[in-house]
Amino acid sequence: MREIYLKAPAKINLALYIKGLREDGYHELQMIMQSISLADRIKLKKKSGGIVVKTSHVDLPTDEENLAYQAAEIFFEDHPEISEGVEIYIEKNIPIAAGLAGGSTDAAAVLNGLHLLFKKRMNYESMRKRLEIIGSDAPYCLEGGTVYASGKGEIIEELPFIGEKYLVVVTPSFKISTPKVYKLYDQLEKRYDSDFEAILDNLKNDNKINWNLDFKNDLKAAAEKICPEIIEIKDIFKNTKAKFTMLSGSGPTIFSIYSTRKEAEKVAAKWPRKNDFVTVVKTIDKY
Ligand code: C5P
């Protein structure tokens, strides 16, 4: 086998709770992560040596800064017996720096794909550990699905799939720096009166999601201060039949869930802000 094609799905957060600041400067989190059908496409092709990254998106770095490049570096470090290298082509469909784990999912897909391409034994547990170095969301992206993630985001507990739901995902063209959002969060006033356990209990034990539970994103206030367009987008969603609307990760992506695909498509077709990235997607199970 000389080449392999991979799909790298994006994620949204159905809940993002911040429990406090850790000694390592990161934040202790409790999140519900969910994979969606919006995905990058990746091609890995063997070459005589070294790592080369090519992409369809001009804003994406192709050097060591690219998380997919870092994943390939880790793979070849772990397998010094391999003399060949790889060319990675990323068809970028997931908006960049948008709170959808676009970079992390490329990294996870590349690490997984290189094991397949070079026929190396795969151990998901150790691959997840290696992906922690790349980013807090990267271990989750290895298999996706509906997951309870804690710690920095790297401690993963699988939950029952919430089922196929249709969403409209909207990303304004404004790119958000995740560290900047967390820093501003630290400076803002906080309230800790929330009940994450009730959400977990609902997702683990009930057949139907109770959207009236506190499915909040603690980064909301900080993200809205940095990117006020988030508020404009939420106001547009308010006038639709959305069952649930929320900010994903550190933003600026907002998504709304609808009862049917038709309703979601209607909202997307009439979207009034012309510079936004707007797409209709569905939730997907573990891959
Ligand atoms: O882990 P990752 O590189 O994706 O994180 C990007 C930034 O987000 C970190 O540098 C940090 O500022 C912030 N972060 C955090 N706590 C987490 C995850 C990320 O403060 N649990």
Side-chain angles (χ1 to χ4, degrees):
M1 185 164 57
R2 297 286 318 155
E3 55 187 51
I4 185 170
Y5 291 82
L6 311 158
K7 220 158 117 178
K11 66 89 187 151
I12 51 169
N13 296 94
L14 296 178
L16 191 158
Y17 278 46
I18 302 180
K19 306 306 284 181
L21 188 59
R22 298 155 48 119
E23 281 192 350
D24 60 8
Y26 278 76
H27 292 76
E28 192 65 25
L29 304 176
Q30 284 188 310
M31 298 187 282
I32 304 296
M33 317 274 259
Q34 176 61 55
S35 304
I36 55 174
S37 55
L38 173 66
D40 290 342
R41 306 263 165 182
I42 298 175
K43 178 182 170 184
L44 302 179
K45 192 166 127 195
K46 284 183 186 171
K47 62 192 276 299
S48 52
I51 302 164
V52 169
V53 174
K54 295 180 178 174
T55 87
S56 62
H57 199 302
V58 284
D59 292 344
L60 209 61
T62 53
D63 57 6
E64 291 90 343
E65 224 189 291
N66 188 303
L67 303 189
Y69 187 106
Q70 292 175 23
E73 271 186 324
I74 286 176
F75 175 80
F76 289 113
E77 241 170 62
D78 289 349
H79 297 284
E81 73 284 5
I82 300 175
S83 62
E84 291 172 286
V86 70
E87 181 184 297
I88 303 167
Y89 177 75
I90 304 169
E91 180 194 297
K92 198 78 202 151
N93 303 315
I94 305 170
I96 298 169
L100 295 169
S104 296
T105 191
D106 292 347
V110 165
L111 188 62
N112 195 19
L114 285 171
H115 282 83
L116 295 169
L117 187 65
F118 289 98
K119 296 197 169 58
K120 292 293 168 187
R121 227 172 55 85
M122 286 206 285
N123 174 332
Y124 274 56
E125 202 49 54
S126 67
M127 269 201 279
R128 258 188 228 110
K129 272 256 152 295
R130 300 298 275 146
L131 285 165
E132 272 179 38
I133 303 166
I134 291 176
S136 308
D137 285 344
Y140 160 76
C141 293
L142 200 53
E143 292 179 284
T146 309
V147 159
Y148 163 42
S150 58
K152 289 196 288 180
E154 84 289 8
I155 304 168
I156 281 160
E157 184 189 326
E158 223 180 281
L159 296 173
F161 177 42
I162 62 164
E164 210 172 88
K165 309 214 177 297
Y166 287 90
L167 303 88
V168 177
V169 172
V170 175
T171 312
S173 51
F174 192 99
K175 287 189 182 51
I176 276 197
S177 148
T178 301
K180 214 170 133 185
V181 177
Y182 275 102
K183 221 170 255 158
L184 182 57
Y185 166 85
D186 290 335
Q187 292 161 13
L188 295 176
E189 212 175 296
K190 308 177 187 48
R191 50 167 264 266
Y192 285 112
D193 55 336
S194 45
D195 192 0
F196 192 82
E197 289 310 312
I199 294 177
L200 269 186
D201 184 53
N202 176 228
L203 293 178
K204 279 182 186 173
N205 302 314
D206 304 335
N207 286 331
K208 217 166 172 257
I209 299 181
N210 179 0
W211 294 116
N212 294 322
L213 294 173
D214 204 4
F215 280 95
K216 62 173 180 163
N217 182 334
D218 278 335
L219 291 173
K220 175 176 146 251
E224 286 177 356
K225 262 210 153 79
I226 292 170
C227 176
E229 288 181 56
I230 291 171
I231 302 166
E232 281 174 38
I233 292 168
K234 281 202 317 202
D235 283 344
I236 298 170
F237 275 133
K238 261 185 210 147
N239 291 320
T240 70
K241 287 181 181 164
K243 287 207 287 193
F244 178 75
T245 298
M246 211 167 84
L247 175 77
S248 186
S250 54
T253 299
I254 320 282
F255 65 90
S256 279
I257 299 184
Y258 293 87
S259 304
T260 63
R261 174 189 220 138
K262 225 177 175 170
E263 261 174 34
E265 279 169 353
K266 241 195 320 200
V267 172
K270 288 193 187 147
W271 195 255
R273 288 170 41 100
K274 294 303 164 214
N275 292 325
D276 292 343
F277 168 86
V278 181
T279 186
V280 174
V281 299
K282 62 178 181 180
T283 50
I284 59 167
D285 201 354
K286 198 172 159 185
Y287 39 87

